[in-house]
Amino acid sequence: MNDVQILMPAPMPAAVIAALDARFTLHRLWEQPDADVFLAEHGPHMRGLAANTLAGPVGPALFDRLPVLEIVANFGVGYDNIDAGAAAARGITVTNTPGVLDAEVADLAIGLLLATIRRLPQADRYVRDGKWVDAPFPLSPTLRDRTVGILGLGAIGRQIARRLEGFDVAIAYHQRTPRDDVSYAYHDSPVALAAACDVLIAIVPGGDGTRHLVDGAVLAALGRDGILVNVARGSVVDQPALIDALRDGTILAAGLDVYADEPHVPDDLRAMENVVLLPHLGSASEHTRAAMGRLVVDNLVSWFDRGTALTPVPETA
Ligand code: A2R
């Protein structure tokens, strides 16, 4: 099995590297003094690629340099970093890590919602800054009596909805196809959903199909008491429009885990008191990252042992 050459463009967890080292000949591109020179010499032998968002775009330009590539195993459920259509056209299978992170991201979404609405990070800063001895922290907005809209009731969206059921709030959703297995109110566009709710949680995939799905019109429909939580991808929200909406009171507040140009967060956002900003933590626990890593390894092992991938993305299934 060690004659199978696997390329890893950017670092992954040590356990993934160790497991791949044990089964394959793993090439760490980031350790090469000149990636171009390395790819020119060794690219033609790479049959597998272990990718993550740090790897940069995985598409035709890279595929051209890897002519016998059979599989791209992505570390993450979102694979907007990979041109899956181009992979499919070349017969390359792409896998992602669905299922193993749904609960973790849903937990994070609920935490971010509560942190945003009850202003928990601001309150923590208040205590640390010694202000409590002078005056109580100002009263916060509430989750009580709100309708929460979920944009994308997929695997993670449904886990968010299940958790929200315990909070006694009304739940609504939008995606392109209504589900027949839930009783939440369906709305046929993002604007219609935003108009019907006062919390909007975005949890759709990134990529061209969802670019700026949350734009100025959606934020206006969400309204002055509205709260946006984005745990999807930064590309899903028109970030300049969001900054305007937060600044001029079009919406009340936002909880953001993802941004247009990570890890760069605009100064405008960082200066605002009505936002809670996380550094893309969705699946970032030791437990869940380990599970994701095992699935990356298992996909590669299954492919090269049995010729089948465990979790191919729909475009290449
Ligand atoms: O639209 P549908 O019926 O295909 O439903 C999918 C929905 N969705 C969209 N909704 C509205 N407009 C769109 N253009 C659009 N494209 C997709 O997003 C589906 O219900 C949901 C995605 O669900 P899953 O494929 O199960 O993804 P999962 O595992 O929940 O993850 C969602 C994303 C990842 O791709 C990462 O970017 C992020 O959450 O962590």
Side-chain angles (χ1 to χ4, degrees):
M1 186 52 66
N2 273 341
D3 56 336
V4 173
Q5 316 265 315
I6 305 281
L7 182 67
M8 185 179 284
M12 283 196 189
V16 176
I17 292 174
L20 294 180
D21 265 337
R23 285 302 294 265
F24 306 106
T25 301
L26 180 68
H27 299 275
R28 300 153 169 81
L29 189 60
W30 73 94
E31 288 182 355
Q32 295 303 321
D34 188 324
D36 271 339
V37 169
F38 179 87
L39 286 175
E41 187 178 345
H42 300 280
H45 308 293
M46 299 298 155
R47 294 174 62 194
L49 182 74
N52 57 14
T53 51
L54 301 175
V58 176
L62 182 59
F63 295 152
D64 283 346
R65 313 196 69 177
L66 310 174
V68 300
L69 187 67
E70 298 168 35
I71 180 169
V72 178
N74 189 52
F75 185 95
V77 67
Y79 53 96
D80 43 315
N81 50 320
I82 297 167
D83 187 338
R90 294 172 191 232
I92 299 167
T93 293
V94 177
T95 65
N96 63 345
T97 60
V100 296
L101 50 64
D102 300 351
E104 198 75 79
V105 179
D107 290 351
L108 194 278
I110 298 295
L112 181 53
L113 169 58
L114 292 175
T116 304
I117 202 158
R118 298 300 304 276
R119 297 182 174 148
L120 303 184
Q122 296 91 326
D124 176 273
R125 291 197 290 271
Y126 194 82
V127 174
R128 289 172 195 272
D129 291 348
K131 294 179 179 168
W132 191 16
V133 291
D134 297 324
F137 188 69
L139 301 183
S140 75
T142 180
L143 183 60
R144 298 301 91 221
D145 300 325
R146 282 183 181 262
T147 296
V148 180
I150 300 177
L151 184 58
L153 199 65
I156 301 171
R158 268 181 299 168
Q159 293 243 11
I160 294 172
R162 269 186 45 208
R163 284 157 175 70
L164 284 169
E165 286 177 16
F167 288 87
D168 297 322
V169 290
I171 299 169
Y173 74 105
H174 164 73
Q175 56 185 24
R176 291 164 302 180
T177 317
R179 304 193 68 100
D180 55 16
D181 56 353
V182 298
S183 56
Y184 313 130
Y186 176 75
H187 297 274
D188 64 6
S189 71
V191 167
L193 176 64
C197 66
D198 42 23
V199 172
L200 185 63
I201 302 178
I203 184 64
V204 288
D208 291 342
T210 57
R211 189 173 167 71
H212 293 185
L213 211 54
V214 178
D215 59 9
V218 170
L219 296 168
L222 191 57
R224 300 192 68 78
D225 283 330
I227 293 174
L228 174 72
V229 172
N230 188 7
V231 284
R233 284 287 185 265
S235 60
V236 172
V237 173
D238 180 343
Q239 191 164 275
L242 173 62
I243 291 170
D244 288 346
L246 287 162
R247 186 184 287 130
D248 67 18
T250 300
I251 68 168
L252 183 68
L256 305 175
D257 190 38
V258 289
Y259 307 88
D261 179 27
E262 295 173 14
H264 305 289
V265 178
D267 289 343
D268 284 338
L269 278 178
R270 295 197 294 145
M272 287 176 180
E273 270 300 308
N274 55 340
V275 294
V276 175
L277 305 172
L278 303 183
H280 201 152
L281 296 183
S283 64
S285 71
E286 291 187 15
H287 164 93
T288 294
R289 287 290 168 84
M292 292 162 64
R294 283 194 295 275
L295 191 47
V296 168
V297 173
D298 290 349
N299 265 300
L300 289 167
V301 169
S302 175
W303 180 263
F304 289 108
D305 276 3
R306 296 181 287 282
T308 56
L310 301 178
T311 51
V313 303
E315 294 91 327
T316 70

